[in-house]
Every structure is written in structure tokens, then in C-alpha cells.
Amino acid sequence: MSRLDAIGCRAWPLRLGLVATGVLAVVVGCSPGGPAGKGEATGAGGSKSAGDLSDKIGDYLPPLDGGRLEIAPPKGWNWANPGGGVLVAFKPQDIELNKLPRILLTVADAGLLGMDDVTAENVAAFVSHVSDAAADKKLRAPVQATTIAGRQFATYQILGKRRNQVVIQHFLATIVEGREYRLQLDAYQADFAKVKSTIEVVASSMKFPTKHGESSDPPREEAAPVAAKDVPQDQPAKPTEQAGDAPTDPPPEAL
């Protein structure tokens, strides 16, 4: 199975270009169903409280990114370690990782931007940087600021095509302690409205133990689905199922 083709923005200090794990082609026009923004809610902007999403959070993984990050999938989803620049991936329990929907998390050093954390005071500047990086892409929804569980994110969407079906790629990006964390939900357009909240659930689960003592509260003994012994802290323990193998999808094609 071949690695997925990169389709994101140009590489830049925040590395907001897509990792080479998608088999999607960036679309330079609107979806067949009409102008961008019609048909499903875009999800850009606004805010979601932790209380709205906490009951949808599944079991936490072992700490990732050198112990900086604690994160969990939505309930009913599994996790996998696909490699290829992706720190961890999430998928519904009954499908393989090379199918959709799925959520990918990538992490990069954001030091060159000179921004240690995205806050309410600087989120507008962060959104501007993300917008500049995506300037050569046709966005389904413009880059906007959003708040999820009290944390500031930049969010935007890109259209693509996979197996002759329109795909929506929905992004949430933030910076914590000089590290850029970017979540990417890939879903077929027909299913997007049903699964859009899953990326918000994952974003709301994010805890940073080294920052202000954030951590899962209370600690969950069932957090590690398999034993994490001898597994480096910057990678989760290997899943029991082989969901992280490279997909076998054909090359992407433009609409």
C-alpha cells in the first residue's frame, strides 16, 4: 500500500501544509452540489465548551510528543500509529485507517513564528499567518478563529476528491508551548455533517501536563489500550490491529 499524496499548503514555519498521508486532490472550484459553504455547516468560527463535548471523549492514550500531550479519540473510535509524519490517527472502530472518515494529528516546532501559545490576545495574528500560508488554495471556508474547551484554534476547510467522491478536509490548528498541533478530519462530503463534531471532541480532549499542570482528571487506568512498556514517549504503543499500514488507494484526481 502506498503513502498518501500530500495536498496541503506550502511548507512554512508552522508546517500548516498537509502531511503526505492524504489521498485527496485539492479542488480549485466548488463542489458539485453548489457554491462552497452550502449543503453542510462549515464549522468555522464560534466556540464549543468542554461540557458540550466531554461526554463524547473516549479513553486517553499514553502521553505523546515527549510527554507534552495527552489526547483521546471520540467514543467508538480507535487509534493507530501510521507514521509518515503523523503523530497519531483516529478512525471509527469498524473501518480501516485507509478509509474515511479519519482524524490525523501532526506536530511541528513553531519557534520561527515567535509565538509560544495561541491565546485570545494573539489568535487574530495566528489566523492571519494561517491564511497567508493557504493563500494559493481554494478554501471551502475561510480561515477563522474558534474556541474549543477554552483553547484558541484557527480552523479552515479544503475540498478534495477521492474515488470520484468529494471530500472535505477540516482543520484545527493551535500552538502550545512553541509546538504547533494540527488536527485534520477527512470525510466524504455526504458524511461530513454527521462526523464534523468528532474533530472538536478530539480537540477538547487535548491536555498539556507540562503547561499549568494540565492533565486528564482523574487519571484513567484504561488509558493505554496496549502496554506502553519500552515504547518511546513521543509515540503511542503500537495498536493491536494493523490499521496504520499505508493505504492502497489510487492516485488522486481533480474534479
Side-chain angles (χ1 to χ4, degrees):
M1 295 188 288
S2 60
R3 279 291 169 202
L4 309 177
D5 298 317
I7 62 168
C9 308
R10 298 186 305 271
W12 67 304
L14 290 180
R15 291 180 61 188
L16 286 167
L18 298 180
V19 297
T21 56
V23 293
L24 312 177
V26 173
V27 178
V28 294
C30 300
S31 67
K38 293 187 178 181
E40 308 87 22
T42 65
S47 66
K48 284 278 188 178
S49 69
D52 295 336
L53 302 168
S54 60
D55 62 344
K56 300 178 181 178
I57 297 173
D59 296 333
Y60 275 78
L61 280 67
L64 305 179
D65 196 26
R68 299 179 183 89
L69 172 67
E70 294 178 3
I71 194 169
K75 286 182 178 178
W77 286 48
N78 286 337
W79 62 278
N81 182 4
V86 177
L87 184 62
V88 69
F90 301 113
K91 67 179 187 65
Q93 290 177 350
D94 56 348
I95 71 169
E96 298 176 356
L97 185 60
N98 64 316
K99 309 297 183 182
L100 302 185
R102 67 185 174 200
I103 296 171
L104 310 176
L105 171 66
T106 57
V107 184
D109 185 6
L112 294 179
L113 184 60
M115 187 179 292
D116 290 334
D117 299 276
V118 175
T119 66
E121 289 71 31
N122 64 15
V123 67
F126 181 59
V127 166
S128 178
H129 281 287
V130 176
S131 298
D132 290 345
D136 61 344
K137 304 300 177 184
K138 184 71 174 183
L139 301 181
R140 179 177 186 265
V143 183
Q144 297 184 30
T146 188
T147 304
I148 299 176
R151 196 174 305 282
Q152 303 293 323
F153 292 86
T155 181
Y156 65 103
Q157 296 173 6
I158 295 175
L159 288 176
K161 186 177 181 182
R162 187 175 193 250
R163 294 178 176 175
N164 296 318
Q165 297 185 63
V166 176
V167 172
I168 296 174
Q169 292 185 300
H170 181 41
F171 296 89
L172 288 170
T174 192
I175 297 175
V176 179
E177 294 188 309
R179 301 283 283 170
E180 184 241 334
Y181 296 90
R182 180 168 49 83
L183 291 166
Q184 170 185 333
L185 168 65
D186 296 337
Y188 290 115
Q189 187 177 38
D191 301 326
F192 182 73
K194 294 183 293 185
V195 300
K196 187 185 77 66
S197 65
T198 58
I199 191 173
E200 297 168 349
V201 171
V202 174
S204 71
S205 79
M206 296 171 72
K207 309 285 186 181
F208 298 89
T210 60
K211 181 178 177 59
H212 308 310
E214 293 183 18
S215 65
S216 305
D217 186 22
R220 307 185 183 191
E221 292 183 1
E222 71 276 19
V226 293
K229 183 179 180 180
D230 298 329
V231 177
Q233 276 194 314
D234 59 349
Q235 291 190 352
K238 189 66 176 178
T240 55
E241 59 180 315
Q242 298 303 311
D245 290 345
T248 56
D249 299 293
E253 53 183 300
L255 286 179

